[in-house]
Amino acid sequence: MEISQLEFMKHLLRRKRRVYLDHNATTSVSRGVRRAMDRTLRNCYGNPSSLYALGRQAAAALELARARVAAAVGATPEEIIFTGCATESNNTVLKSLTEHFYPKKKQIIATPIEHPSIHNTLHYLESRGTTVAYCPVDRQGRVDLQALDKQLDRKTFLVCCMLANNELGTIQDLRAISELAHHRGALVLADCVQALGKIPIDLPALDVDYASFSAHKLHGPKGVGALYVKPGSPLKPWLHGGHQEEGLRAGTESLHNIVGFGVAAHGVDRLLGRSRRILALKQGCMARLKQIHPKCVFNSPQHDCLPNTINVTFPGYSNRELMAMLDYHGIAVSAGSACSSSEDKPSHVLTAIGLPDEQARQTIRISLGHDTSAGDIRYFLRRLRKFLHGQAVHVSMLTVAELDKQMLDDEETWLLDVRPRSLRQRFPSLPHAHEAPWSEIHNYLDLIPRDKHIIVVCQGGYLSFMIAWYLKAKGWPRVSNLLSGIAGWIKQHKAMYQEVAGKNVQVLTKK
Ligand code: PLP
């Protein structure tokens, strides 16, 4: 291997420390959960609806998991329905109740900071005639109870309010919200996805009518959720088919996932026992962030907040660049909900609490977990400090919307398409692109100008990111990476792509 290639491979394969600070997006599957799931897959493959021994064994495992999930939230097993995810739980309640109350009652009141699984379902229902009112929240995302009380009327059949917000960590006074709603004859759906495993949950005390949960937020598997239904509350199945889950959720149960959820829920007390340590780490991290960058602004409330969540704005710094820089150093943080991270919009939660778009785009969420160490936080702070104090190189991030026709035609722009030839043939490059495969880029360095704005693109935006950093480390002054790559660009600019794809493309020839 020649020196330049060796050096290039070393750069790409450089072992990085991995620091995961995005526990509100998802969590790792715990060893206990993995083992239980593996045992279920191997030994307990019967259908829980079958009457023979293997089926009965599966049914027993299902009921044990149900009892464990119920116990973790202060409910009884009969009140818990397993679903495919919390998104499904939320959809089921919203759509089923809309139908149930139609045409007598047509209004749903929701907070403007709900998760997309609520928000986008509400948009869908709105397009079909439901009225949706959003109750105001304060600068930290707390519901204005007086305003909510005024909004509730005889047409309101449901109030949707999450127990803890996924971006800010804000914990709502759900007991008071339930009281107001019930007083006006409305039911309450509480999205408790972020709360489970982070704060104690006692559903009877909160007096909500429905609550949704997801296993993957508490070290369980992805693809399984739960729905709590208070006895006597109306609910119709969303999926029709078999009689599973008391006829409320058809489809053969995903037993290994459900068992995994049960084991994760069984460990909730242990998780809660660690929340003090996490809170101390979080507070230490926040104090240090303020020292490193005194202008940073915390958006989460000081009290009534999840112990693991920090939402912080760094005026003057784009969150995309911050995240990309941290990602390069093996650190995972996010700009908001993972479900909307591919959208090129500022977080709806941050705009709802009054942050201008610009500040929302300068905000990141750091969410700690029980496996976060003090060393992880120190490493994160060190990398961030170097960046904020101008002691680290950085690559700019371009969205597919920013890379418009004008930029493509700009003489200053030099587009470098690093996709392998097979992909370049299937999806022709953007106009004026220079093509060179990423795996051999070290052979083309002499051909890449240093006085232009280099925009590196690949199919999905990941390999180009590595190459952009490589060029930056090699001294190119202006280097950007196209987020979401050509695939994302085609989606955004379909008509333009058909018109200009492959025009004036230059295949670089090795030195
Ligand atoms: N609600 C909240 C508050 C969430 O944070 C999430 C996950 O990000 C969901 C709902 C959706 O959960 P699931 O991934 O199980 O559909």
Short mmCIF file of all heavy atoms in Angstrom, two decimals, residues 375-415:
data_model
loop_
_atom_site.label_atom_id
_atom_site.label_comp_id
_atom_site.label_asym_id
_atom_site.label_seq_id
_atom_site.Cartn_x
_atom_site.Cartn_y
_atom_site.Cartn_z
N GLY A 375 -16.38 10.53 32.59
CA GLY A 375 -15.36 10.66 31.54
C GLY A 375 -16.01 11.01 30.20
O GLY A 375 -15.45 11.79 29.43
N ASP A 376 -17.17 10.44 29.94
CA ASP A 376 -17.89 10.75 28.68
C ASP A 376 -18.20 12.25 28.64
O ASP A 376 -18.04 12.90 27.61
CB ASP A 376 -19.22 9.99 28.62
CG ASP A 376 -19.01 8.50 28.38
OD1 ASP A 376 -17.92 8.12 27.95
OD2 ASP A 376 -19.96 7.74 28.65
N ILE A 377 -18.69 12.76 29.75
CA ILE A 377 -19.07 14.19 29.79
C ILE A 377 -17.82 15.06 29.63
O ILE A 377 -17.84 16.06 28.91
CB ILE A 377 -19.82 14.51 31.11
CG1 ILE A 377 -21.13 13.71 31.17
CG2 ILE A 377 -20.09 16.00 31.25
CD1 ILE A 377 -22.17 14.09 30.12
N ARG A 378 -16.72 14.64 30.27
CA ARG A 378 -15.48 15.44 30.15
C ARG A 378 -15.02 15.47 28.69
O ARG A 378 -14.63 16.51 28.17
CB ARG A 378 -14.39 14.84 31.04
CG ARG A 378 -14.47 15.28 32.49
CD ARG A 378 -13.15 15.05 33.22
NE ARG A 378 -12.75 13.66 33.20
CZ ARG A 378 -13.18 12.74 34.09
NH1 ARG A 378 -13.99 13.10 35.07
NH2 ARG A 378 -12.78 11.50 34.02
N TYR A 379 -15.07 14.31 28.04
CA TYR A 379 -14.64 14.22 26.64
C TYR A 379 -15.52 15.12 25.76
O TYR A 379 -15.02 15.89 24.93
CB TYR A 379 -14.74 12.76 26.19
CG TYR A 379 -14.42 12.54 24.73
CD1 TYR A 379 -13.13 12.75 24.23
CD2 TYR A 379 -15.39 12.09 23.83
CE1 TYR A 379 -12.83 12.53 22.89
CE2 TYR A 379 -15.10 11.86 22.49
CZ TYR A 379 -13.82 12.09 22.03
OH TYR A 379 -13.53 11.88 20.71
N PHE A 380 -16.83 15.04 25.97
CA PHE A 380 -17.77 15.87 25.21
C PHE A 380 -17.45 17.35 25.41
O PHE A 380 -17.36 18.13 24.45
CB PHE A 380 -19.20 15.53 25.69
CG PHE A 380 -20.22 16.61 25.41
CD1 PHE A 380 -20.63 16.88 24.11
CD2 PHE A 380 -20.77 17.35 26.45
CE1 PHE A 380 -21.57 17.87 23.86
CE2 PHE A 380 -21.71 18.33 26.20
CZ PHE A 380 -22.10 18.60 24.89
N LEU A 381 -17.24 17.74 26.68
CA LEU A 381 -16.98 19.16 26.97
C LEU A 381 -15.66 19.61 26.37
O LEU A 381 -15.53 20.74 25.88
CB LEU A 381 -16.99 19.38 28.49
CG LEU A 381 -18.38 19.24 29.16
CD1 LEU A 381 -18.24 19.13 30.67
CD2 LEU A 381 -19.26 20.43 28.79
N ARG A 382 -14.67 18.70 26.38
CA ARG A 382 -13.36 19.07 25.83
C ARG A 382 -13.47 19.36 24.33
O ARG A 382 -12.97 20.36 23.83
CB ARG A 382 -12.38 17.93 26.09
CG ARG A 382 -10.93 18.31 25.87
CD ARG A 382 -9.95 17.34 26.47
NE ARG A 382 -10.02 16.02 25.86
CZ ARG A 382 -10.32 14.91 26.51
NH1 ARG A 382 -10.59 14.96 27.80
NH2 ARG A 382 -10.34 13.74 25.89
N ARG A 383 -14.17 18.46 23.63
CA ARG A 383 -14.32 18.64 22.19
C ARG A 383 -15.11 19.91 21.88
O ARG A 383 -14.78 20.65 20.96
CB ARG A 383 -15.03 17.43 21.58
CG ARG A 383 -14.15 16.22 21.49
CD ARG A 383 -13.05 16.50 20.50
NE ARG A 383 -11.93 15.59 20.64
CZ ARG A 383 -10.72 15.83 20.16
NH1 ARG A 383 -10.46 16.95 19.53
NH2 ARG A 383 -9.76 14.96 20.29
N LEU A 384 -16.13 20.14 22.65
CA LEU A 384 -16.98 21.31 22.42
C LEU A 384 -16.19 22.59 22.69
O LEU A 384 -16.25 23.56 21.92
CB LEU A 384 -18.20 21.23 23.34
CG LEU A 384 -19.31 22.22 23.03
CD1 LEU A 384 -19.98 21.88 21.71
CD2 LEU A 384 -20.37 22.21 24.14
N ARG A 385 -15.43 22.57 23.77
CA ARG A 385 -14.66 23.77 24.13
C ARG A 385 -13.68 24.11 23.00
O ARG A 385 -13.58 25.25 22.57
CB ARG A 385 -13.91 23.54 25.44
CG ARG A 385 -13.07 24.74 25.88
CD ARG A 385 -12.40 24.53 27.23
NE ARG A 385 -11.69 23.27 27.35
CZ ARG A 385 -10.50 23.01 26.83
NH1 ARG A 385 -9.85 23.94 26.16
NH2 ARG A 385 -9.94 21.84 26.97
N LYS A 386 -12.97 23.09 22.49
CA LYS A 386 -11.98 23.33 21.43
C LYS A 386 -12.67 23.96 20.23
O LYS A 386 -12.15 24.87 19.62
CB LYS A 386 -11.34 22.01 21.01
CG LYS A 386 -10.26 21.57 21.96
CD LYS A 386 -9.41 20.50 21.33
CE LYS A 386 -8.16 20.31 22.19
NZ LYS A 386 -7.30 19.30 21.71
N PHE A 387 -13.85 23.46 19.92
CA PHE A 387 -14.58 23.96 18.76
C PHE A 387 -15.03 25.40 19.00
O PHE A 387 -14.79 26.30 18.19
CB PHE A 387 -15.78 23.06 18.48
CG PHE A 387 -16.63 23.53 17.33
CD1 PHE A 387 -16.25 23.28 16.02
CD2 PHE A 387 -17.81 24.22 17.55
CE1 PHE A 387 -17.03 23.71 14.96
CE2 PHE A 387 -18.59 24.66 16.50
CZ PHE A 387 -18.20 24.40 15.20
N LEU A 388 -15.65 25.64 20.16
CA LEU A 388 -16.20 26.97 20.44
C LEU A 388 -15.10 28.00 20.62
O LEU A 388 -15.30 29.18 20.37
CB LEU A 388 -17.09 26.92 21.69
CG LEU A 388 -18.37 26.06 21.57
CD1 LEU A 388 -19.07 25.98 22.91
CD2 LEU A 388 -19.31 26.61 20.52
N HIS A 389 -13.92 27.56 21.04
CA HIS A 389 -12.81 28.49 21.23
C HIS A 389 -11.93 28.58 19.98
O HIS A 389 -10.81 29.08 20.04
CB HIS A 389 -11.98 28.09 22.46
CG HIS A 389 -12.75 28.26 23.74
ND1 HIS A 389 -12.20 28.07 24.98
CD2 HIS A 389 -14.03 28.62 23.97
CE1 HIS A 389 -13.12 28.28 25.92
NE2 HIS A 389 -14.24 28.62 25.32
N GLY A 390 -12.45 28.05 18.87
CA GLY A 390 -11.75 28.19 17.59
C GLY A 390 -10.48 27.37 17.49
O GLY A 390 -9.60 27.67 16.69
N GLN A 391 -10.38 26.29 18.31
CA GLN A 391 -9.15 25.49 18.25
C GLN A 391 -9.34 24.19 17.50
O GLN A 391 -8.56 23.26 17.63
CB GLN A 391 -8.69 25.17 19.69
CG GLN A 391 -8.32 26.40 20.48
CD GLN A 391 -8.37 26.14 21.97
OE1 GLN A 391 -8.81 25.10 22.43
NE2 GLN A 391 -7.90 27.12 22.73
N ALA A 392 -10.43 24.08 16.73
CA ALA A 392 -10.65 22.83 16.00
C ALA A 392 -11.11 23.16 14.58
O ALA A 392 -11.82 24.13 14.38
CB ALA A 392 -11.73 22.01 16.71
N VAL A 393 -10.67 22.32 13.64
CA VAL A 393 -11.15 22.52 12.26
C VAL A 393 -12.62 22.14 12.21
O VAL A 393 -13.09 21.35 13.02
CB VAL A 393 -10.39 21.64 11.24
CG1 VAL A 393 -8.97 22.10 11.07
CG2 VAL A 393 -10.47 20.18 11.61
N HIS A 394 -13.35 22.72 11.27
CA HIS A 394 -14.71 22.24 11.11
C HIS A 394 -15.19 22.33 9.68
O HIS A 394 -14.73 23.14 8.89
CB HIS A 394 -15.67 22.92 12.09
CG HIS A 394 -15.96 24.35 11.74
ND1 HIS A 394 -15.13 25.35 12.08
CD2 HIS A 394 -17.00 24.89 11.09
CE1 HIS A 394 -15.64 26.49 11.65
NE2 HIS A 394 -16.77 26.24 11.04
N VAL A 395 -16.12 21.44 9.40
CA VAL A 395 -16.70 21.32 8.06
C VAL A 395 -18.09 21.92 8.12
O VAL A 395 -18.82 21.71 9.08
CB VAL A 395 -16.78 19.81 7.72
CG1 VAL A 395 -17.70 19.55 6.55
CG2 VAL A 395 -15.40 19.26 7.45
N SER A 396 -18.46 22.68 7.08
CA SER A 396 -19.83 23.22 7.07
C SER A 396 -20.80 22.16 6.56
O SER A 396 -20.41 21.27 5.81
CB SER A 396 -19.95 24.41 6.14
OG SER A 396 -18.96 25.31 6.40
N MET A 397 -22.03 22.33 6.96
CA MET A 397 -23.06 21.39 6.51
C MET A 397 -24.05 22.13 5.63
O MET A 397 -24.51 23.21 5.99
CB MET A 397 -23.82 20.84 7.73
CG MET A 397 -22.96 20.01 8.63
SD MET A 397 -22.46 18.48 7.84
CE MET A 397 -20.75 18.45 8.31
N LEU A 398 -24.35 21.57 4.50
CA LEU A 398 -25.32 22.19 3.60
C LEU A 398 -26.56 21.31 3.55
O LEU A 398 -26.45 20.08 3.48
CB LEU A 398 -24.77 22.17 2.18
CG LEU A 398 -24.00 23.34 1.64
CD1 LEU A 398 -23.74 23.09 0.16
CD2 LEU A 398 -24.76 24.63 1.81
N THR A 399 -27.73 21.92 3.57
CA THR A 399 -28.95 21.10 3.42
C THR A 399 -29.26 21.01 1.93
O THR A 399 -28.77 21.82 1.13
CB THR A 399 -30.15 21.75 4.13
OG1 THR A 399 -30.42 22.99 3.49
CG2 THR A 399 -29.89 21.96 5.59
N VAL A 400 -30.12 20.07 1.60
CA VAL A 400 -30.49 19.92 0.18
C VAL A 400 -31.21 21.17 -0.32
O VAL A 400 -31.14 21.50 -1.50
CB VAL A 400 -31.34 18.66 -0.04
CG1 VAL A 400 -30.51 17.41 0.10
CG2 VAL A 400 -32.54 18.61 0.89
N ALA A 401 -31.88 21.88 0.59
CA ALA A 401 -32.58 23.11 0.16
C ALA A 401 -31.56 24.22 -0.14
O ALA A 401 -31.73 25.00 -1.07
CB ALA A 401 -33.54 23.56 1.25
N GLU A 402 -30.48 24.25 0.64
CA GLU A 402 -29.48 25.31 0.42
C GLU A 402 -28.71 25.12 -0.89
O GLU A 402 -28.30 26.09 -1.52
CB GLU A 402 -28.49 25.33 1.60
CG GLU A 402 -29.08 26.01 2.83
CD GLU A 402 -28.26 25.74 4.09
OE1 GLU A 402 -27.58 24.72 4.18
OE2 GLU A 402 -28.33 26.59 4.99
N LEU A 403 -28.53 23.87 -1.29
CA LEU A 403 -27.80 23.63 -2.55
C LEU A 403 -28.78 23.80 -3.71
O LEU A 403 -29.31 22.85 -4.27
CB LEU A 403 -27.18 22.22 -2.55
CG LEU A 403 -26.30 21.90 -3.76
CD1 LEU A 403 -25.16 22.89 -3.93
CD2 LEU A 403 -25.76 20.48 -3.68
N ASP A 404 -29.04 25.06 -4.05
CA ASP A 404 -30.02 25.34 -5.10
C ASP A 404 -29.32 25.59 -6.44
O ASP A 404 -28.10 25.48 -6.54
CB ASP A 404 -30.90 26.54 -4.68
CG ASP A 404 -30.06 27.78 -4.39
OD1 ASP A 404 -28.82 27.74 -4.64
OD2 ASP A 404 -30.61 28.76 -3.89
N LYS A 405 -30.10 25.94 -7.43
CA LYS A 405 -29.58 26.12 -8.80
C LYS A 405 -28.47 27.17 -8.82
O LYS A 405 -27.42 26.97 -9.44
CB LYS A 405 -30.76 26.53 -9.70
CG LYS A 405 -30.44 26.84 -11.12
CD LYS A 405 -30.85 25.66 -12.00
CE LYS A 405 -30.67 25.90 -13.48
NZ LYS A 405 -29.32 26.24 -13.88
N GLN A 406 -28.73 28.25 -8.08
CA GLN A 406 -27.77 29.35 -8.08
C GLN A 406 -26.42 28.89 -7.53
O GLN A 406 -25.37 29.18 -8.09
CB GLN A 406 -28.33 30.47 -7.22
CG GLN A 406 -27.62 31.78 -7.44
CD GLN A 406 -28.15 32.83 -6.47
OE1 GLN A 406 -29.18 32.66 -5.84
NE2 GLN A 406 -27.42 33.91 -6.35
N MET A 407 -26.47 28.14 -6.47
CA MET A 407 -25.22 27.67 -5.87
C MET A 407 -24.52 26.66 -6.78
O MET A 407 -23.30 26.66 -6.91
CB MET A 407 -25.52 27.04 -4.51
CG MET A 407 -24.28 26.82 -3.70
SD MET A 407 -24.70 26.17 -2.09
CE MET A 407 -23.96 27.33 -1.02
N LEU A 408 -25.34 25.82 -7.43
CA LEU A 408 -24.74 24.82 -8.33
C LEU A 408 -24.02 25.50 -9.50
O LEU A 408 -22.98 25.03 -9.96
CB LEU A 408 -25.83 23.89 -8.88
CG LEU A 408 -26.32 22.80 -7.94
CD1 LEU A 408 -27.54 22.10 -8.53
CD2 LEU A 408 -25.23 21.77 -7.69
N ASP A 409 -24.59 26.61 -9.97
CA ASP A 409 -24.01 27.30 -11.13
C ASP A 409 -22.92 28.29 -10.74
O ASP A 409 -22.23 28.83 -11.61
CB ASP A 409 -25.12 28.06 -11.89
CG ASP A 409 -26.07 27.09 -12.58
OD1 ASP A 409 -25.68 25.93 -12.74
OD2 ASP A 409 -27.20 27.50 -12.93
N ASP A 410 -22.77 28.52 -9.46
CA ASP A 410 -21.80 29.52 -8.99
C ASP A 410 -20.37 29.07 -9.33
O ASP A 410 -19.98 27.93 -9.06
CB ASP A 410 -21.96 29.66 -7.45
CG ASP A 410 -21.14 30.80 -6.91
OD1 ASP A 410 -20.25 31.31 -7.63
OD2 ASP A 410 -21.37 31.18 -5.75
N GLU A 411 -19.60 29.99 -9.90
CA GLU A 411 -18.21 29.70 -10.28
C GLU A 411 -17.37 29.30 -9.07
O GLU A 411 -16.39 28.58 -9.19
CB GLU A 411 -17.58 30.96 -10.90
CG GLU A 411 -18.18 31.36 -12.22
CD GLU A 411 -17.53 30.63 -13.36
OE1 GLU A 411 -16.31 30.77 -13.51
OE2 GLU A 411 -18.25 29.89 -14.08
N GLU A 412 -17.78 29.80 -7.91
CA GLU A 412 -17.02 29.56 -6.68
C GLU A 412 -17.22 28.14 -6.14
O GLU A 412 -16.46 27.64 -5.33
CB GLU A 412 -17.48 30.54 -5.59
CG GLU A 412 -16.79 31.87 -5.62
CD GLU A 412 -15.29 31.71 -5.49
OE1 GLU A 412 -14.84 31.28 -4.43
OE2 GLU A 412 -14.58 32.00 -6.47
N THR A 413 -18.33 27.52 -6.58
CA THR A 413 -18.66 26.19 -6.07
C THR A 413 -17.92 25.12 -6.86
O THR A 413 -17.87 25.18 -8.09
CB THR A 413 -20.18 25.95 -6.21
OG1 THR A 413 -20.85 26.97 -5.51
CG2 THR A 413 -20.59 24.59 -5.69
N TRP A 414 -17.36 24.14 -6.16
CA TRP A 414 -16.70 23.02 -6.83
C TRP A 414 -17.25 21.74 -6.21
O TRP A 414 -16.92 21.39 -5.08
CB TRP A 414 -15.19 23.12 -6.63
CG TRP A 414 -14.37 22.44 -7.69
CD1 TRP A 414 -13.97 22.97 -8.88
CD2 TRP A 414 -13.84 21.10 -7.64
NE1 TRP A 414 -13.22 22.07 -9.58
CE2 TRP A 414 -13.12 20.90 -8.85
CE3 TRP A 414 -13.90 20.06 -6.74
CZ2 TRP A 414 -12.47 19.73 -9.14
CZ3 TRP A 414 -13.25 18.88 -7.04
CH2 TRP A 414 -12.54 18.71 -8.23
N LEU A 415 -18.14 21.11 -6.97
CA LEU A 415 -18.87 19.96 -6.45
C LEU A 415 -18.03 18.69 -6.63
O LEU A 415 -17.59 18.39 -7.74
CB LEU A 415 -20.17 19.82 -7.25
CG LEU A 415 -21.35 19.20 -6.57
CD1 LEU A 415 -21.77 20.04 -5.38
CD2 LEU A 415 -22.51 19.11 -7.57
#
